[in-house]
């Protein structure tokens, strides 16, 4: 089993290029199923999840080639409309092929994703939205079978919660529907905006980008287009938190500060200096009394849909608060089981107690964590353990790093270049 071995205590200095966003690349890849022709996607991160999506597109009859950060996808001939369990179970975002297949072929059979470490992850909002467009959905043998008799028709959908992939799936189903579709309480994440830009470049007519109300005027057909994946705000935030935890001074190249307002506000309150630069975000810890690191203020957070504090940065921020000077309350409101990192952080010397959807983090100050063998349980929990290991005294070994490699491109290499003592061991 592959592991990460980290000898903690080193500050981070230099610059790191932020990769394209996993959670933008996945819907953009699914959208190539909407129209034949040669689609070109730039700045696509090379991750376990993007490789899984490309495998799924190939299973459906598409073809692709990667040239560096650019992926060319051709979907002239779709030979199937089924996303099999063995692919979907490894990546919930496979459900994103439902919308484009319904639009392109009028039919799709996709394995239900099932739950994952952080929650049950239902897709009832997706199915309800499709039904509003005239789709019939049936659940059998762990699969959802969706079909539409002739053409999708415009409808109105109100999301009980602003589901990110639910909004993306419905957008892709609606772009060629007959008539107009209104999506209310839509997700406003930048990744949804990236998809809207791609669909518009393909010929779609969508109003309300970056708001919670989207209007889609159906068009007859779409054509292949060329699009760039936006920078990964969660990767950016992860490295910002790592600098706050370890000290140092790092330029996060190609990152967009406007996507990280909530996190930046909290990190400034902790004591981090964050400066917008022409080519990215510069972050550093002020040093006091010579080279010692500034004390970390303990700051409460509540996760919320964008533009609130991202649930995907909750675990990483919790690792930082373990080194705070006081007590921080971490309130997770999006997923029901996103505290899997707590037990492992406590094994490193943290003092965290869970009370329902809140974690009470009693900070023990800088240098309070000690290295230990720990196990990754999900993508962002593994990033949390990496941050803790970077700041801990001694050696941390993180097992099951396939979780981490689903969503972070070459984390060990990027951190080594910043001066961290970290290495990936193939097991
Ligand atoms: C997206 O997941 C992201 N994944 C997640 O990132 C992210 O944590 C999440 O949005 C919230 O921001 C991708 O974009 C590929 P939701 P998604 O639908 O769309 C409930 C990561 O670490 N819900 O916005 O699956 C759901 O249970 C991953 O990169 C329903 O009840 O999340 C949750 O409580 C993890 N029924 C809430 O809504 C539904 O049909 C928000 O989920 C859909 C969602």
């Amino acid at each position: 089993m592959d592991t990460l071995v980290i000898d903690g205590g080193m500050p981070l200095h230099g610059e790191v290029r932020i990769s394209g966003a996993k959670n933008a690349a996945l819907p953009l890849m699914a959208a190539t199923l909407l129209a034949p022709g040669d689609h070109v996607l730039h700045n696509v991160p090379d991750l376990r999840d993007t490789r899984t999506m490309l495998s799924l597109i190939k299973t459906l009859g598409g073809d692709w080639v990667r040239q560096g950060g650019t992926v060319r996808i051709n979907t002239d001939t779709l030979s199937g409309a089924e996303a099999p369990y063995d692919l979907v179970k490894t990546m919930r975002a496979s459900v994103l092929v439902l919308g484009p297949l319904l639009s392109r072929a009028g039919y799709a059979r996709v394995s239900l994703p099932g739950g994952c470490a952080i929650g049950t992850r239902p897709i009832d909002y997706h199915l309800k939205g499709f039904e509003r467009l005239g789709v019939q959905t049936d659940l059998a043998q762990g699969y959802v079978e969706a079909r539409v008799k002739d053409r999708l028709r415009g409808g109105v959908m109100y999301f009980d919660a602003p589901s990110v992939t639910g909004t993306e799936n419905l957008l892709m189903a609606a772009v060629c529907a007959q008539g107009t579709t209104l999506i209310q309480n839509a997700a406003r994440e930048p990744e949804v905006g990236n998809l809207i830009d791609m669909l518009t470049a393909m010929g779609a007519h969508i109003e309300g980008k970056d708001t919670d109300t989207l209007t889609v005027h159906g068009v007859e057909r779409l054509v292949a287009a060329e699009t760039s994946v936006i920078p990964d705000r969660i990767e950016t935030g992860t490295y910002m938190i790592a600098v706050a935890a370890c000290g140092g001074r790092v330029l996060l190249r190609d990152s967009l500060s406007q996507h990280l307002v909530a996190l930046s506000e909290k990190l400034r309150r902790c004591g981090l200096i964050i400066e917008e630069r022409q080519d990215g975000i510069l972050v550093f810890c002020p040093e006091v009394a010579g080279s010692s690191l500034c004390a970390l203020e303990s700051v409460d957070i509540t996760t919320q849909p964008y533009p609130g504090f991202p649930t995907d940065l909750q675990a990483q921020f919790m690792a930082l608060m373990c080194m705070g000077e006081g007590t921080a309350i971490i309130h997770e409101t999006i997923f029901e089981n996103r505290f899997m990192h707590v037990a492992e952080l406590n094994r490193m010397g943290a003092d965290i107690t869970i009370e329902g959807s809140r974690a009470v983090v009693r900070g023990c100050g800088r240098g309070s964590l000690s290295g230990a063998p720990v196990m990754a349980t999900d993508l962002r929990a593994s990033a949390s353990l990496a941050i803790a290991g970077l700041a801990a005294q001694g050696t941390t070994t993180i097992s099951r790093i396939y979780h981490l490699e689903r969503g972070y491109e070459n984390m060990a290499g990027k951190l080594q270049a910043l001066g961290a003592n970290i290495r990936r061991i193939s097991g």
Side-chain angles (χ1 to χ4, degrees), residues 7 25 59 64 81 107 121 182 225 253 292 329 337 346 372 404 417:
D7 292 322
T59 302
W64 60 272
Y107 172 78
R121 312 296 297 276
L182 181 63
R253 186 175 293 285
S292 67
I329 308 293
N337 189 33
N346 282 339
L404 185 79

Side-chain angles (χ1 to χ4, degrees), residues 22-23 92 121-125 163-165 312 334 380:
K22 165 180 83 80
N23 290 347
R92 179 183 187 285
R121 312 296 297 276
I123 60 168
D124 53 321
Y125 299 163
S163 164
V164 175
T165 51
D312 292 350
I334 306 294
R380 305 304 174 183

Side-chain angles (χ1 to χ4, degrees), residues 213-264:
T213 303
L214 299 173
T215 303
V216 185
H217 302 285
V219 296
E220 285 304 313
R221 58 190 289 274
L222 299 176
V223 295
E226 186 166 357
T227 311
S228 286
V229 178
I230 58 172
D232 194 320
R233 61 191 170 96
I234 305 303
E235 184 192 28
T236 306
T238 301
Y239 286 115
M240 290 168 75
I241 294 169
V243 174
C246 303
R249 183 187 181 93
V250 174
L251 174 68
L252 302 167
R253 186 175 293 285
D254 298 344
S255 53
L256 297 174
S257 56
Q258 62 266 33
H259 290 169
L260 286 150
V261 172
L263 172 70
S264 299

Side-chain angles (χ1 to χ4, degrees), residues 30 39 68 78 106 110 113 149 154 193 200 220 227 255 260 281 328 332:
H39 301 260
L78 291 188
V110 174
K149 280 196 185 57
T200 303
E220 285 304 313
T227 311
S255 53
L260 286 150
I281 303 172
E332 172 58 58

